[in-house]
């Protein structure tokens, strides 16, 4: 089952979303996006928990 994440569920107004084959790959894409677009070089634990709670299976 693939995983899907929409950034707008955590960051208001962000239209980016992504899908990946598993959670590890998904988090790689999310950290890349967070770094490039949201200037988050380290993602705080709190944000990771939030992201995890919003991941959907597709
Ligand atoms: Zn975003």
């Amino acid at each position: 089952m693939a995983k899907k994440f929409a950034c707008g569920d955590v960051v208001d107004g962000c239209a980016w979303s992504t899908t990946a084959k598993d959670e590890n790959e998904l988090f790689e894409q999310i950290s890349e996006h967070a770094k490039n677009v949201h200037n988050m070089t380290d993602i705080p634990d709190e944000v990771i928990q939030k992201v995890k709670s919003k991941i959907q299976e597709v």
Side-chain angles (χ1 to χ4, degrees):
M1 195 120 46
K3 308 278 185 185
K4 181 177 188 215
F5 172 72
C7 194
D9 286 344
V10 175
V11 181
D12 276 347
C14 184
W16 183 81
S17 69
T18 187
T19 51
K21 64 172 169 27
D22 59 36
E23 212 166 270
N24 283 344
E25 201 179 294
L26 195 72
F27 266 98
E28 278 175 27
Q29 295 177 10
I30 293 168
S31 46
E32 196 64 28
H33 169 79
K35 191 166 73 183
N36 294 336
V37 179
H38 300 297
N39 294 317
M40 259 184 223
T41 43
D42 283 309
I43 305 179
D45 259 6
E46 184 194 313
V47 175
I48 290 174
Q49 294 312 319
K50 234 175 174 176
V51 168
K52 278 190 174 164
S53 73
K54 300 292 184 184
I55 291 173
Q56 295 169 355
E57 294 191 336
V58 287

